[in-house]
Amino acid sequence: MSMPGTAKLFLALGCIAALLAVAVGAFGAHGLKARIAPELMPVYKTGVEYHFYHALGMILVGLAALHLPESAYLRRAGWAMLAGIVLFSGSLYLLALTGLGWLGAITPVGGAAFIAAWALFATAVIKA
């Protein structure tokens, strides 16, 4: 049996994102404690936490796509989760590593992508 392309794509992307969340989290726990300001460690940890949640969300999108392979809402949800990881978590990682406060202006854009992703996911399920 062949897996639908959308399912395969978001299962693979979700697994890769989860792998990266573990790696980034381990790097933070073992390699950054002594290198970044203590007040920035919670910022980094928040990035890891939301990265992981949304990696799992992308896996859920992939699983849902097994049942709804043609859903444009589901595809958009998966892409929005990936965009949220890059923008939300990525901006927090960079903020923690560099201390550049202006990076915090990018974070809400990623948060909005996360919110949109879950709304799109719900819409896909409701319209099924």
Side-chain angles (χ1 to χ4, degrees), residues 13-43:
L13 287 174
C15 289
I16 292 165
L19 175 152
L20 291 172
V22 172
V24 170
F27 174 69
H30 302 291
L32 285 182
K33 272 194 177 171
R35 294 186 177 161
I36 66 172
E39 66 272 9
L40 291 176
M41 199 61 184
V43 171

Side-chain angles (χ1 to χ4, degrees), residues 82-92 103 106-107 109-111 113:
L82 181 60
I85 290 170
V86 171
L87 296 170
F88 183 91
S89 296
S91 67
L92 292 180
L103 289 165
I106 298 168
T107 308
V109 177

Side-chain angles (χ1 to χ4, degrees), residues 2-128:
S2 178
M3 186 182 296
T6 300
K8 186 182 285 190
L9 173 67
F10 288 109
L11 285 168
L13 287 174
C15 289
I16 292 165
L19 175 152
L20 291 172
V22 172
V24 170
F27 174 69
H30 302 291
L32 285 182
K33 272 194 177 171
R35 294 186 177 161
I36 66 172
E39 66 272 9
L40 291 176
M41 199 61 184
V43 171
Y44 191 87
K45 287 182 179 181
T46 298
V48 172
E49 184 178 353
Y50 279 77
H51 184 156
F52 218 123
Y53 292 152
H54 291 86
L56 294 174
M58 286 180 15
I59 291 169
L60 288 174
V61 166
L63 292 174
L66 291 171
H67 303 282
L68 304 169
E70 301 303 319
S71 175
Y73 289 107
L74 208 49
R75 279 191 300 281
R76 290 182 196 130
W79 289 118
M81 285 190 193
L82 181 60
I85 290 170
V86 171
L87 296 170
F88 183 91
S89 296
S91 67
L92 292 180
Y93 298 149
L94 288 172
L95 172 61
L97 291 169
T98 66
L100 297 173
W102 65 266
L103 289 165
I106 298 168
T107 308
V109 177
F114 287 151
I115 293 166
W118 291 108
L120 287 162
F121 198 161
T123 303
V125 171
I126 291 165
K127 289 196 171 269

